[in-house]
Amino acid sequence: MEKCWFTLRDTHFPPPSLESMRSGHPSSPGPSLGHLIPSLNHLDQIINADGFEPFPPGGTMEIWGPTLIEDFTWDQSLTHKSTFKIKASAPLAGTVIPGAELGVGVGAAFSKSVANHCEFDRLERYLVQPTRSYVQRCIERDDVQQWIKRNKRLGGRWEVYMVTGIIVARGGGRKRKEVTSEKGVFAEVTVEVPLIVESGPEVKRERTRQMTWGGSQTNDFVWAVRLAKITKNGLQSDWKMETVVKKTSFRGQKAIF
């Protein structure tokens, strides 16, 4: 099965009730079935936050769920390291040695580590399969049309993402710890002279800095979302929709499961 669930960075959105989602006016400010978001980089920025089209009656868009996942544990650790060094040189003005150059080098090393650990008594999964007629009514609303008009790309292309699934975490918590360190910051000043490999002076400076923070969440909250990507360009007569799976655009996050 392909991965299609994306976790929210923030955990302060309480779960909306089923009836409020069906009505188009969710009882929570967080992501809900039927909401539209602008990109995978902004999962909590909702285009139609003031409300959306009610789900049609008659079972054509019934909410499936809750499907229970019990005693769930999830760990994720990410580490990023980077180093850089910049060196510049220029003729040494006024020097008595022709061809001598002054060189300046600056460098640094950085490391960032993020750890997520989740333990829940249970997860509740809710899904809906939107019909084309329902999606059409949603994107025809004034607030969505205004957003599309402001954000069209070259050639008239636009895209939005509809929330078609949510996972609610109940009876547990999420702990997050982030460590950022900076060390090995240095500066060098050198004089290069023809026929001489290198001569001083040289200056070095080292600095170490570390920042650590962490937190936990114990209330019920919306933990992850499933998304359908809706796109249209100027050459197409109609929009197309597909479930987002695996990893996403260049700057988007990856699906976790």
Side-chain angles (χ1 to χ4, degrees), residues 234-248:
L235 301 178
Q236 294 174 323
S237 60
D238 200 1
W239 49 266
K240 65 178 181 179
M241 181 173 65
E242 58 184 352
T243 299
V244 182
V245 296
K246 296 184 178 178
K247 70 178 186 178
T248 67

Side-chain angles (χ1 to χ4, degrees), residues 3-19:
K3 296 179 179 180
C4 60
W5 290 95
F6 299 85
T7 58
L8 302 178
R9 181 179 178 87
D10 296 320
T11 59
H12 53 259
F13 296 121
S17 67
L18 290 179
E19 190 55 41

Side-chain angles (χ1 to χ4, degrees), residues 209-225:
R209 183 177 65 186
Q210 181 167 302
M211 178 179 65
T212 304
W213 66 269
S216 62
Q217 172 75 24
T218 56
N219 297 325
D220 297 345
F221 61 93
V222 178
W223 182 58
V225 294

Side-chain angles (χ1 to χ4, degrees), residues 7 13 16 28 41 53 58 61 70-71 84 92 99 105-106 122 140 144 148 152 176 216 237 241 247-248 251-252:
T7 58
F13 296 121
S28 168
N41 300 317
E53 289 293 306
M61 273 185 58
E70 297 182 327
D71 298 326
F84 71 86
L92 192 58
V106 180
R122 73 180 189 277
E140 286 177 350
V144 179
I148 290 174
K152 278 186 179 180
R176 178 181 174 87
S216 62
S237 60
M241 181 173 65
K247 70 178 186 178
T248 67
R251 297 183 62 188

